Amino acid sequence: MSIPVLAARDIHKSYGRGATRFDALKGVSVDIQQGESVAIVGKSGSGKSTLMHLLALLDNPTTGSVELSGRDASGLSGRVVNQTRNETFGFVFQQFFLTPNTSVLDNVTLPLQIAGIGGAERKRRGMAVLEQLDLADKARNKATDLSGGQKQRVVIARALVNNPSVIFADEPTGNLDSATGKVVEDILFSLQEEKGITLIIVTHDEDLAARCDRRVYIRDGLITDSLHAVPAATAATIATAQEVRA
Amino acid sequence: MNAFDLIRSAVKNSLRSKTRTILTVLSIFIGAFTLTLTSGVGTGINQYIDTTVASIGADDVITVTKAAEDGTDGPVEYDPTAVAVDSPNSPPGAPGFSLIALTTDDLDSIGAIDGVLSVQPQLSVSPDYVQVADGTAYEANVGSFIPGMELDLAAGAEPDAASSDYEVAVPVSFVTPLGFTDDAAALGAMLTLAITDVTGTQSELRATIVGVSEEGLAGSTAFTANKVLTEALYDAQSGGLSESSKDSYAQAVVRFDPTGAEADLTTLKSDLSDLGYTGTTVEDQIGSFKAVIDGIVLVLNAFAVIALLAAGFGIVNTLLMSVQERTREIGLMKAMGLGGGKIFGLFSLEAVFIGLMGSALGVGVGMLAGMGANAVLADTLLADLPGLTLVAFDPAALATIILVVMGLAFLAGTIPALRAARQDPIESLRYE
Ligand SMILES: Nc1ncnc2c1ncn2[C@@H]1O[C@H](COP(=O)(O)OP(=O)(O)OP(=O)(O)O)[C@@H](O)[C@H]1O
Ligand SMILES: [Mg+2]
């Protein structure tokens, strides 16, 4: 088996200390292969976002380790971690986090700006990705003036603009009606198919989870189940009951 | 993020909350404006003093007087040897100034002091009129030309101190009245000076016009005569005076070697005071005046700096609010890989930009206000002091003000900028 692009090795994460100490993750191990789509499923407060943040190197586990292409991330310098998050990862957070009073284009090209890419190149790539998401006509609008569905697409555009190899999406359809949610899902899965992007999707929506190659169930900080979907071609016709246990 | 984007973002961010930024800029503006004006006044007055000193000139000259003993408080006893009223050399414009006249003996003993190159009594002459050929006669003041002095010349040359011919420089305002078509036409012409002695005998002297002097403060409207002419005028004026009156002077001018060490001058002065004389250089007279001006300007500047310090806290406050408001944005940028150093740079640049706006505005408006004040004052309060621009601007001083304010803003910005740089991205993203 190839080296997983990301792996969690028995990670624990606790918040606070003393009486208010709370163990959000209590020993989670998971391997994520390049090009795979993984759903992290669980109830609210189960620790999904916490796990995603740890895998995305946004936070450090209390114990255990996160491995990036087989290397322990705790050994990496801050600069390398920043560069990885900037160039290799794309983020869709649970909230939109759009900068108010700033144009859609500027919001979308933020990762490129952080990377130090020049204005003309930024604009070209930003417009290309907005085109892809049917938002080219909104490029000059203020980000805060868009509808919820449009904002979600802007957020996805921002996650894509730097051509990442891993996209982390926390409830990407949570704020959307089912039709718009479907559009956003289609965008994400077509990217996975066309560009071989690794998708890590946090959701409590079973239908969305079912479209992923693998579902990781988490409850009270522990992984309870990990299911592999049957190949995508047959998945549509075969009921979920026929899925194979990993 | 590259440098250009950092600056652009910082500028954009500072303009995001306009009211708040304007208020902070205003508080800096007040400080910078005040500092511009106070230092402008300092520069203006000192510049004026410097040009005046240059035209009085003679940095190798000590004016020597014999001061009356002034050891006791209260009324000064009458001293029959204090300056003779009939001496033509009583110091002008110094009433109640108790001086003992210098005699030829005094001059000899001063001349004997080590380091004294020459000693000359200061002669004051007041001719009745000046005239060219048979033209109109005008009243005039005549001053003596001391080598080392710099005449601000409109044409020609300075009177030659070493020459044995009578030479004179005429003020520019006399050129036309004396019947010359222009400044150059006056050069080489003969000027008649008439002077009367105590017995009422008027004599006339003829001098060559060698230069035309601009009307500075010191040059003013006086004719400048060379040494031989001054002495000749003095002799003519002293006819009928007793020998002791003629040979008593309020002041003497001592020359020394100006290239020598500072200590030489100090010894020379203490030698003079040991003999009971007081020696003052032009530096001394102007220097103490300058020290007073500098002191006043320093106090005024201190007030402006206090205003700027207050403005510095305004910057801290503004940026802390800005950091607070943009917690999530900072978190997002950090999550997307922007390093803490760049975040620090972003906020401190914002502070520096606010500082730049405030100080540039303050300096700009300060300069306008200063020029306005100059224009108004030149015709009113300061009309009697031509050549004095009350508020003058030294580019280096103005640049310093702007740089200092920007530096102060940077320092003020470090507190909020550090806070922003240290923010934990996850905590920031959770911030509601
Ligand atoms: N900074 C924190 N301090 C204290 N407790 C925290 C902190 N962050 C998360 N938690 C707790 O950890 C648990 C897991 O949080 P997490 O955000 O991972 O949940 P989640 O599975 O993403 O839930 P949701 O579906 O509602 O987003 C929660 O009980 C939460 O209260
Ligand atoms: Mg969550």
Side-chain angles (χ1 to χ4, degrees):
Chain A
M1 207 165 164
S2 61
I3 300 172
V5 58
L6 279 168
R9 300 266 176 264
D10 190 30
I11 49 177
H12 292 251
K13 179 72 187 174
S14 350
Y15 292 109
R17 50 185 67 207
T20 59
R21 182 186 159 102
F22 179 82
D23 296 320
L25 293 178
K26 302 164 183 166
V28 170
S29 295
V30 66
D31 280 5
I32 291 156
Q33 300 296 331
Q34 176 66 49
E36 181 180 34
S37 62
V38 179
I40 301 174
V41 197
K43 284 214 285 286
S44 180
S46 54
K48 308 183 295 291
S49 296
T50 304
L51 177 59
M52 185 190 103
H53 292 155
L54 288 171
L55 287 173
L57 312 181
L58 285 167
D59 209 351
N60 299 315
T62 312
T63 61
S65 64
V66 174
E67 285 173 12
L68 179 68
S69 304
R71 277 197 300 163
D72 189 344
S74 63
L76 300 175
S77 73
R79 216 177 59 82
V80 171
V81 170
N82 276 338
Q83 200 176 349
T84 307
R85 284 209 304 264
N86 184 241
E87 290 170 7
T88 317
F89 296 168
F91 291 101
V92 178
F93 292 105
Q94 207 163 352
Q95 287 113 13
F96 298 132
F97 297 127
L98 292 171
T99 311
N101 299 318
T102 303
S103 75
V104 166
L105 183 65
D106 284 350
N107 265 286
V108 166
T109 54
L110 184 61
L112 301 180
Q113 192 188 17
I114 289 170
I117 292 168
E121 170 74 358
R122 273 201 321 250
K123 189 173 174 197
R124 194 184 62 69
R125 286 168 67 173
M127 286 312 292
V129 72
L130 283 173
E131 204 82 54
Q132 204 180 342
L133 291 165
D134 267 340
L135 280 167
D137 56 327
K138 299 285 184 193
R140 300 259 142 253
N141 288 45
K142 281 188 179 166
T144 29
D145 293 346
L146 302 182
S147 76
Q150 287 167 336
K151 282 182 188 165
Q152 190 69 335
R153 277 186 284 154
V154 171
V155 167
I156 291 175
R158 183 175 64 193
L160 295 179
V161 77
N162 56 347
N163 284 322
S165 55
V166 182
I167 289 185
F168 294 91
D170 200 345
E171 306 280 9
T173 59
N175 302 303
L176 306 178
D177 64 81
S178 53
T180 325
K182 182 83 169 47
V183 173
V184 169
E185 279 174 31
D186 288 345
I187 295 165
L188 288 174
F189 285 107
S190 68
L191 282 168
Q192 187 211 354
E193 241 163 65
E194 287 162 20
K195 301 192 179 175
I197 291 177
T198 310
L199 280 183
I200 297 169
I201 302 177
V202 170
T203 184
H204 51 248
D205 175 358
E206 271 298 339
D207 291 337
L208 171 57
R211 289 185 68 175
C212 295
D213 300 334
R214 187 150 61 102
R215 280 169 284 169
V216 173
Y217 287 91
I218 187 164
R219 187 201 286 163
D220 294 337
L222 285 169
I223 291 185
T224 52
D225 241 346
S226 187
L227 298 180
H228 274 287
V230 289
T234 49
T237 53
I238 301 166
T240 44
Q242 285 173 295
E243 283 163 350
V244 235
R245 219 148 252 211
Chain B
M1 222 184 232
N2 57 38
F4 173 74
D5 278 326
L6 270 181
I7 295 171
R8 207 181 60 122
S9 306
V11 169
K12 223 173 102 186
N13 289 338
S14 65
L15 299 176
R16 216 189 272 179
S17 176
K18 288 203 180 57
T19 326
R20 202 167 60 200
T21 306
I22 288 172
L23 288 174
T24 315
V25 164
L26 218 59
S27 69
I28 302 167
F29 163 81
I30 293 169
F33 175 81
T34 319
L35 203 54
T36 306
L37 281 185
T38 52
S39 72
V41 168
T43 313
I45 294 180
N46 281 331
Q47 254 175 24
Y48 180 65
I49 294 172
D50 286 343
T51 48
T52 308
V53 171
S55 71
I56 296 171
D59 58 354
D60 60 344
V61 162
I62 300 179
T63 309
V64 179
T65 53
K66 194 171 187 180
E69 299 301 334
D70 196 12
T72 52
D73 287 335
V76 180
E77 258 181 64
Y78 171 67
D79 180 354
T81 61
V83 77
V85 260
D86 62 346
S87 167
N89 294 316
S90 49
F97 199 81
S98 185
L99 281 176
I100 298 171
L102 296 169
T103 61
T104 354
D105 288 345
D106 288 317
L107 295 185
D108 290 343
S109 54
I110 293 168
I113 294 174
D114 204 22
V116 172
L117 297 181
S118 75
V119 54
Q120 272 173 26
Q122 194 158 57
L123 308 172
S124 70
V125 290
S126 33
D128 305 330
Y129 63 84
V130 293
Q131 190 182 29
V132 171
D134 291 330
T136 326
Y138 296 97
E139 289 189 7
N141 299 319
V142 171
S144 182
F145 184 76
I146 308 164
M149 175 169 152
E150 274 171 46
L151 265 192
D152 197 1
L153 287 166
E158 290 168 343
D160 185 355
S163 168
S164 57
D165 298 329
Y166 298 161
E167 288 185 2
V168 69
V170 301
V172 75
S173 61
F174 276 78
V175 168
T176 317
L178 286 172
F180 300 112
T181 47
D182 57 23
D183 295 350
L187 303 179
M190 297 304 286
L191 183 79
T192 309
L193 300 108
I195 196 156
T196 311
D197 66 18
V198 269
T199 62
T201 324
Q202 194 176 57
S203 29
E204 284 187 1
L205 289 159
R206 292 177 171 280
T208 316
I209 299 175
V210 292
V212 177
S213 62
E214 218 55 274
E215 294 182 27
L217 174 81
S220 63
T221 54
F223 285 67
T224 314
N226 67 346
K227 194 179 159 209
V228 279
L229 179 57
T230 314
E231 282 169 359
L233 285 168
Y234 186 70
D235 284 342
Q237 179 181 263
S238 309
L241 275 183
S242 68
E243 223 22 59
S244 72
S245 276
K246 190 186 165 191
D247 289 337
S248 67
Y249 315 95
Q251 306 183 324
V253 176
V254 162
R255 330 191 114 263
F256 61 95
D257 182 7
T259 55
E262 191 74 16
D264 293 350
L265 181 57
T266 319
T267 8
L268 179 53
K269 278 196 208 165
S270 68
D271 287 350
L272 278 171
S273 68
D274 287 348
L275 292 173
Y277 304 107
T278 314
T280 8
T281 58
V282 177
E283 276 311 328
D284 291 340
Q285 292 167 353
I286 305 297
S288 56
F289 190 49
K290 261 187 147 172
V292 171
I293 299 286
D294 284 345
I296 294 171
V297 167
L298 199 71
V299 170
L300 291 176
N301 281 351
F303 283 119
V305 168
I306 290 170
L308 280 175
L309 281 182
F313 286 104
I315 295 178
V316 176
N317 192 34
T318 303
L319 283 176
L320 279 179
M321 280 163 83
S322 181
V323 169
Q324 185 84 5
E325 261 169 31
R326 278 149 58 195
T327 302
R328 306 174 93 196
E329 193 186 328
I330 296 165
L332 181 72
M333 289 195 294
K334 289 195 107 178
M336 287 179 168
L338 190 62
K342 295 275 172 72
I343 302 253
F344 179 87
L346 201 57
F347 280 90
S348 36
L349 275 175
E350 190 175 331
V352 169
F353 179 68
I354 290 176
L356 174 66
M357 280 197 291
S359 57
L361 205 69
V363 167
V365 176
M367 283 177 73
L368 287 181
M371 287 189 249
N374 283 342
V376 172
L377 290 176
D379 298 335
T380 55
L381 223 56
L382 303 177
D384 295 341
L385 291 171
L388 169 61
T389 23
L390 183 63
V391 195
F393 300 106
D394 172 15
L398 295 182
T400 312
I401 293 175
I402 294 183
L403 287 179
V404 163
V405 173
M406 283 169 77
L408 193 83
F410 173 80
L411 283 182
T414 49
I415 303 166
L418 272 179
R419 179 179 284 198
R422 291 201 182 130
Q423 248 173 39
D424 175 24
I426 289 300
E427 287 300 314
S428 316
L429 288 174
R430 280 183 177 277
Y431 181 83
E432 296 291 337

